[in-house]
Amino acid sequence: MAIRLFIDGAAGTTGLEIRERLAGRDEFALILLDDSQRKDETARRDALHAADIAILCLPDEAAKEAVRLAQGSGTRIIDASSAHRVAEGWTYGFPELIGRETIAAAQFVSNPGCYPTGFLGLVAPLVRAGLLPADWPYTVNAVSGYSGGGNTLIERFESDPDIAFRAYGLSMGHKHLPEMRKFAGLAHPPVFSPAVVPAFRGMLVDVPLPLAAIPGAGRVGKMRECLAEFAANGPLVTFAEAGSTEELLHRDEGSADDTMSLHLYANADETQVRLIARLDNLGKGASGAAIQNLNIMCGLPETTGLRLRASGSA
């Protein structure tokens, strides 16, 4: 019998990409609302109660409302918003970090943010292994395609070709910080410097490390081993050896990618390091992660329906 699936917010960017990844899959029977019902509370409640699993692709407050509407139903929920990422009773949906068994058994799963996916993939394994201290004041520099900002930002970039770079989060209170701190096990939130560039999708997350100044930091070789081991814990994360490359390119190719590549670059005497993650903000950073979690929760092969383009390619 097909699993009944409702996508609340199916008309948004994340919802549409989830629908694309579900195309042709007979494991699921989609519960669909027409345009006149999408914001109707009764129709949404009925759909949420009829579903075996619901995926929320909504703004934070609307996601909280959806959870309220689903109360008493027993419906399992994947929330792609930031509303429940550090909330009590919710499982953080980063399988490589949290564990697939934990996600498989969960009723409520919160998708990670796109930037935190890159940051945590780089930093959390090293902190867990004792190769980086939990109390260091980390810095994160990151650039993303404009699709991560939703329809409003998409329209702004596509209507104004003169925008070359958008720095934001200047009040230092970005909503991704709590999950970065919690799931990396840090004593302090990192200093986060996000920016948007005129590419539709994709992102680079860069964590610079002055190793010579960090008390208790491990050696570069051990860090490489740790990240390689973390990446080997599943099919969607890779660790790319730096080699002799002098650049890491982001190309606006337009095609979806549900993988993430991790990179470590060090200077000659290994006193300075840059950790860099490359991923698709709409893939492993959003819709791809939701499908990965959906597959795991339903006992299906983890990569079914996912876009597995080689993330480490230039």
Side-chain angles (χ1 to χ4, degrees), residues 10 36 72 78-79 94-95 121 137 139 158 214 232 236 251 255 258 284 290:
S36 65
I78 300 170
D79 183 9
F94 195 153
T139 296
E158 294 186 346
I214 300 178
L236 299 178
R251 298 186 187 278
S255 57
D258 294 325
K284 182 64 171 163

Side-chain angles (χ1 to χ4, degrees), residues 273-294:
V273 160
R274 288 174 65 184
L275 305 175
I276 301 178
R278 186 158 85 182
L279 65 152
D280 182 347
N281 57 290
L282 295 178
K284 182 64 171 163
S287 303
I291 293 295
Q292 182 185 11
N293 286 321
L294 176 67

Side-chain angles (χ1 to χ4, degrees), residues 164-309:
F165 186 89
R166 173 183 179 256
Y168 70 106
L170 303 179
S171 65
M172 313 302 285
H174 198 285
K175 65 181 182 179
H176 286 329
L177 290 172
E179 62 185 292
M180 288 180 174
R181 179 181 179 182
K182 177 176 180 178
F183 295 106
L186 302 181
H188 317 286
V191 176
F192 181 35
S193 301
V196 180
V197 293
F200 183 75
R201 64 195 311 144
M203 65 183 356
L204 293 173
V205 180
D206 187 344
V207 181
L209 299 173
L211 283 191
I214 300 178
R219 300 298 299 272
V220 168
K222 291 294 185 182
M223 289 184 172
R224 292 188 192 278
E225 291 175 8
C226 179
L227 292 177
E229 182 179 351
F230 175 77
N233 182 34
L236 299 178
V237 180
T238 60
F239 177 68
E241 291 292 342
S244 59
T245 183
E246 291 295 328
E247 62 181 19
L248 186 61
L249 301 178
H250 169 65
R251 298 186 187 278
D252 189 17
E253 298 175 342
S255 57
D257 181 7
D258 294 325
T259 67
M260 176 170 66
S261 61
L262 308 178
H263 307 254
L264 186 155
Y265 299 91
N267 64 345
D269 62 4
E270 299 189 349
T271 58
Q272 295 183 329
V273 160
R274 288 174 65 184
L275 305 175
I276 301 178
R278 186 158 85 182
L279 65 152
D280 182 347
N281 57 290
L282 295 178
K284 182 64 171 163
S287 303
I291 293 295
Q292 182 185 11
N293 286 321
L294 176 67
N295 288 335
I296 292 170
M297 292 168 73
C298 295
L300 299 170
E302 185 173 343
T303 60
T304 307
L306 295 182
R307 311 300 194 248
L308 302 180
R309 182 169 61 87

Side-chain angles (χ1 to χ4, degrees), residues 1 33-34 40 44 46 72 84 88-90 106 118 129 183 211 216 224 240 245 300:
M1 183 175 180
L33 300 181
D34 61 34
D40 181 85
R44 290 175 61 214
D46 289 346
H84 299 103
E88 188 72 26
W90 285 76
F183 295 106
L211 283 191
R224 292 188 192 278
T245 183
L300 299 170

Side-chain angles (χ1 to χ4, degrees), residues 12 19 23 31 79 87 90 92 117 160 178 215 254 282 287:
R19 289 280 300 274
I31 298 171
D79 183 9
W90 285 76
Y92 194 60
T117 297
D160 186 351
L282 295 178
S287 303

